[in-house]
Amino acid sequence: MTNAARNESDVIFILLGFSDYPELQFPLFLVFLVIYIITVAGNLGIIMIIRINPKLHTPMYLFLSHLSFIDFCYSTVITPKLLQILLVEDRSISFAPCITQYSFAVLCVVTEAFLLAVMAYDRFVAICNPLLYIVVMSQKRCALLLTAVYTWGIFSSSIFIYSLLTRSYFGINIINNLLCEYSAIVSVSISDNHVMETIFFILANFNTFSTLTIVLTSYLFIFVTILKIHSTSGRYKAFSTCASHLTGVTIFFGTILFLYCVPSSKSSWLLVRISTVFPTVVIPMLNPLIYSLRNKDVKETVRNLMELPVKCLGKQSPHAPDNTQESRPSPCAAAASGNVPYAEIRAIDNS
């Protein structure tokens, strides 16, 4: 039987998840369901807010909208299957869906890592070369950076997937984790491909440490520049422009480096599962909160959107509507359909 035939018809993976703790299955299901709802609402909300507010049409928020898109995709790839194995007894997943889940997951991780590096470079230019910021971070350069980030993510994902597809698998395989990830899939393979495994190791380490180097170098120059600012208010203002990104970067790369240090022994399986949940489920939820709680423009847009229904209700007349106004919908009606510009939202709010 060929490897392809085995892959398509015989191979089944069993995701153990938290099956060792049956009393926690339903509580964990509720927790992860709430986290997923917050993740979807938060990330899609960030994208919508950036789109409708012209003040947020800058390189920093362009990159942030793509980060929210990646986090939304990453969570959607992982969490639904995690919820399923927590709720039902059938924890099996066939070969094709398992490889598909891994391919999209690694695409999101690699793309997010390089996008965070690009965002660090953007903050470096904004703080260290503010007079050249508009020239350096032009619309064309931003488009090129985003294209490079997504292209490299697709390339890396293709290499990782190819290294798995060149291996042989057979029968029912137990994956002692919450999702299909590289080391777990390789551990149940019945063949050895040392060359591809070496390539995977080199590429994975290159992705991690190259992006980390860009981030650390950017922030080294940023901190040096901030220390040269004499006024306390100037230092605070400069630091506040990158505080949210620095927090997100610390959590993301700190989790990755922690995963590097976790041993793969039986005694640490629970720790491995918990540390897997954090980057795949928790971080996509935290990013919208990190980038919005300290941002005045984002909070202002959210407040205006939340107050919009109240303003519209207050403007409704108890009398019959004037037919002469039917030709042009009011800003409130346009807002209800989702097609209202941010300027009209401000006009409603201020009237």
Side-chain angles (χ1 to χ4, degrees), residues 124-137:
F124 158 74
V125 177
I127 294 176
C128 300
N129 297 286
L131 298 179
L132 298 176
Y133 180 74
I134 297 178
V135 177
V136 175
M137 300 305 296

Side-chain angles (χ1 to χ4, degrees), residues 53-121:
N53 190 347
K55 293 173 65 177
L56 304 181
H57 293 176
T58 63
M60 181 179 71
Y61 291 106
L62 171 65
F63 298 139
L64 178 57
S65 65
H66 282 270
L67 179 65
S68 295
F69 172 72
I70 293 170
D71 282 335
F72 165 74
C73 294
Y74 192 24
S75 182
T76 301
V77 167
I78 301 298
T79 310
K81 186 62 181 180
L82 174 58
L83 294 175
Q84 178 188 338
I85 65 175
L86 286 172
L87 194 61
V88 300
E89 294 184 0
D90 183 13
R91 297 182 174 87
S92 63
I93 182 172
S94 58
F95 182 82
C98 185
I99 295 298
T100 301
Q101 183 193 60
Y102 173 74
S103 64
F104 280 104
V106 72
L107 171 62
C108 292
V109 170
V110 174
T111 304
E112 179 164 347
F114 279 91
L115 182 58
L116 288 172
V118 169
M119 294 173 72
Y121 173 74

